[in-house]
């Protein structure tokens, strides 16, 4: 089967001569490595997660996200009928619809059903990637003048309230800008088990000492493409300010209940915007409450679109888009906002379902 060179451009029907196409060309790294992540996931067969199973899982994930054209693209194989695949499908449903409810026993069920550590990592990455892909597609279509059928409305999600982690460390029960730790529920791959070339790649991105990245490193080609996608979205000149890209990441994490991701990106948003009180106000929003309350008109317009793009299924409206254009947003800035929001549908789903945050001992007391 031949693979598309830019799947999202084809599915969103982007005119090559449009401002949107020009903005995506300016964000070449993000565009290239989003497609590169797809290529790694859907062009390479292996026994840990066979290609036919990958397509069947991706089709179902796209269906849960109401991404009909994406679902049709992936719907190339019938779903396998065996216990191993059924366990993977149940995990896919959890990550797609209720990632905050993930717990170590869900990984244990996969292992009992015969999933290898590398297979589990690839499975989680696939589910999270299609979650990202579906939201990016919805955002691109919005920029192309097409809103979603559902009415946009999003509020802060729920989050974990257990006082201790599985290993007995102090857990987080509220959003914070403190620096946190994160421990995996599936063992990270020891650094010495990576080849010299793989160790060099980890070191290049600063991943060598991170349990999280050495866990994702069980499928290193995919981790590399994901890291390059991340850098292409968050570390580019022009368009949306870095502070507001970090704000978008924080909003998504509030919707999904990801305390760890929110702590990292709220801290960056505060540092870059020099407006720590407004960021903390966002973090303090209670479950079920509106996220944009009390924010400036510019931040409220961003929070509104990002939050609704982050629910499942995603929701967008041309009214939201116009509110941002009224604040002076260019097409490039809008693309940056949408890509930042979509990426954290990916990041949160990995952080929430492969491990949990804790409060380091030196920060307590």
């Amino acid at each position: 089967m031949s693979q598309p060179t830019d799947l999202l451009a084809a599915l969103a029907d982007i005119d090559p001569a449009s401002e949107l196409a020009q903005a995506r060309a300016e964000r070449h790294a993000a565009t290239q490595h989003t497609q590169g992540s797809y290529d790694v996931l859907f062009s390479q067969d292996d026994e840990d997660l066979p290609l036919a199973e990958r397509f069947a899982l991706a089709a179902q994930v796209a269906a849960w996200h109401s991404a009909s054209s994406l679902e049709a693209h992936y719907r190339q194989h019938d779903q396998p009928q065996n216990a191993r695949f059924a366990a993977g499908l149940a995990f896919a449903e959890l990550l797609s619809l209720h990632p905050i409810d993930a717990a170590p026993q869900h990984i244990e069920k996969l292992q009992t059903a015969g999933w290898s550590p590398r297979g589990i990592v690839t499975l989680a990455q696939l589910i999270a990637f299609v979650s990202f892909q579906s939201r990016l597609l919805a955002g691109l279509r919005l920029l192309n003048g097409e809103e979603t059928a559902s009415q946009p409305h999003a509020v802060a999600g729920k989050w974990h309230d257990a006082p201790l982690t599985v290993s007995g460390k102090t857990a987080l029960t509220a959003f914070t800008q403190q620096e946190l730790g994160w421990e995996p529920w599936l063992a990270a791959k020891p650094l010495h088990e990576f080849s010299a070339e793989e160790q060099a790649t980890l070191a290049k991105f600063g991943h060598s000492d991170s349990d999280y990245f050495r866990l994702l490193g069980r499928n290193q080609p995919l981790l590399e493409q994901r890291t390059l996608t991340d850098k292409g979205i968050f570390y580019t000149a022009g368009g949306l300010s870095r502070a507001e890209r970090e704000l978008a990441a924080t909003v998504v994490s509030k919707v999904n209940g990801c305390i760890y991701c929110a702590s990292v990106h709220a801290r960056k948003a505060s540092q870059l915007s020099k407006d720590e009180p407004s960021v903390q106000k966002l973090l303090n929003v209670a479950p079920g409450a509106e996220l944009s309350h009390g924010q400036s008109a510019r931040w409220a317009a961003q929070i509104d679109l990002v939050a609704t793009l982050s629910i499942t299924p995603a929701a967008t409206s041309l009214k939201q888009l116009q509110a941002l254009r009224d604040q002076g947003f260019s097409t490039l800035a809008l693309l940056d906002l949408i890509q930042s929001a979509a990426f954290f549908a990916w990041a949160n789903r990995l952080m929430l379902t492969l491990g949990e945050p804790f409060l380091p001992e030196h920060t307590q007391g």
Side-chain angles (χ1 to χ4, degrees):
M1 183 189 68
S2 63
Q3 297 292 336
T5 57
D6 190 345
L7 176 60
L8 291 179
L11 294 181
D13 196 23
I14 297 174
D15 182 346
S18 66
E19 277 190 19
L20 176 55
Q22 293 169 15
R24 293 187 78 233
E26 189 164 346
R27 293 295 182 249
H28 173 70
T31 301
Q32 176 187 356
H33 296 295
T34 294
Q35 181 64 33
S37 300
Y38 169 89
D39 291 340
V40 170
L41 277 166
F42 298 103
S43 300
Q44 301 179 10
D45 207 350
D46 63 49
E47 62 182 12
D48 291 304
L49 184 50
L51 200 54
E53 293 186 8
R54 296 183 189 207
F55 275 96
L57 286 162
Q60 184 56 65
V61 173
W64 284 321
H65 291 297
S66 296
S68 56
S69 62
L70 199 58
E71 178 189 0
H73 169 78
Y74 285 126
R75 190 71 72 186
Q76 303 178 24
H77 301 274
D78 294 331
Q79 289 189 357
Q81 301 298 315
N82 58 65
R84 180 184 175 281
F85 183 82
L89 191 62
F91 192 67
E93 183 174 14
L94 176 72
L95 266 67
S96 298
L97 303 177
H98 309 290
I100 190 64
D101 293 331
Q105 58 261 35
H106 295 110
I107 291 176
E108 292 167 7
K109 287 180 180 178
L110 289 172
Q111 293 172 314
T112 300
W115 286 82
S116 68
R118 187 178 190 277
I120 293 171
V121 167
T122 304
L123 173 64
Q125 284 271 38
L126 182 151
I127 299 160
F129 172 74
V130 178
S131 300
F132 155 73
Q133 202 181 29
S134 66
R135 285 165 175 80
L136 184 48
L137 179 58
L140 293 174
R141 285 183 159 169
L142 180 68
L143 293 176
N144 234 5
E146 179 184 343
E147 58 191 359
T148 59
S150 56
Q151 181 67 30
H153 180 72
V155 295
K158 67 176 184 177
W159 51 85
H160 292 152
D161 57 7
L164 298 175
T165 69
V166 171
S167 70
K169 293 184 174 70
T170 301
L172 277 297
T173 58
F175 282 78
T176 179
Q177 295 190 51
Q178 285 182 273
E179 191 167 341
L180 306 178
W182 184 89
E183 57 184 9
W185 295 329
L186 180 68
K189 187 174 178 176
L191 187 60
H192 70 266
E193 292 185 9
F194 290 92
S195 69
E197 183 180 356
E198 289 172 335
Q199 289 187 34
T201 300
L202 289 171
K204 178 176 69 173
F205 294 121
H207 291 167
S208 302
D209 296 328
S210 166
D211 282 344
Y212 175 66
F213 288 113
R214 283 189 290 103
L215 173 58
L216 297 185
R218 288 186 178 276
N219 186 331
Q220 196 180 63
L222 183 53
L223 171 59
E224 184 172 8
Q225 287 300 314
R226 182 188 179 277
T227 301
L228 291 168
T229 304
D230 181 358
K231 291 184 178 300
I233 290 172
F234 283 92
Y235 298 93
T236 51
L240 190 67
S241 71
R242 273 288 315 285
E244 289 172 316
R245 299 184 211 195
E246 300 295 347
L247 173 69
T250 307
V251 172
V252 180
S253 301
K254 279 291 292 185
V255 172
N256 290 326
C258 189
I259 287 175
Y260 183 88
C261 288
S263 73
V264 173
H265 298 281
R267 195 162 59 249
K268 289 182 180 179
S270 288
Q271 292 166 353
L272 293 166
S273 69
K274 312 299 184 188
D275 191 358
E276 190 273 341
S278 293
V279 175
Q280 191 60 45
K281 183 182 297 183
L282 171 64
L283 292 181
N284 292 344
V285 174
E290 295 287 345
L291 285 162
S292 60
H293 180 72
Q295 300 288 350
S296 68
R298 181 180 173 89
W299 276 28
Q302 292 176 78
I303 291 168
D304 188 43
L305 176 61
V306 168
T308 57
L309 196 63
S310 303
I311 59 177
T312 304
T316 60
S317 77
L318 294 172
K319 182 179 179 181
Q320 290 176 314
L321 187 63
Q322 188 58 52
L324 288 161
R325 291 202 182 278
D326 289 345
Q327 290 295 322
F329 278 65
S330 65
T331 297
L332 181 61
L334 290 166
L335 177 63
D336 288 336
L337 182 67
I338 287 165
Q339 292 195 140
S340 299
F343 187 82
F344 270 79
W346 189 350
N348 288 170
R349 279 170 172 78
L350 295 177
M351 278 286 179
L352 286 169
T353 57
L354 294 175
E356 61 186 323
F358 63 89
L359 191 64
E361 288 185 7
H362 69 271
T363 66
Q364 299 178 43

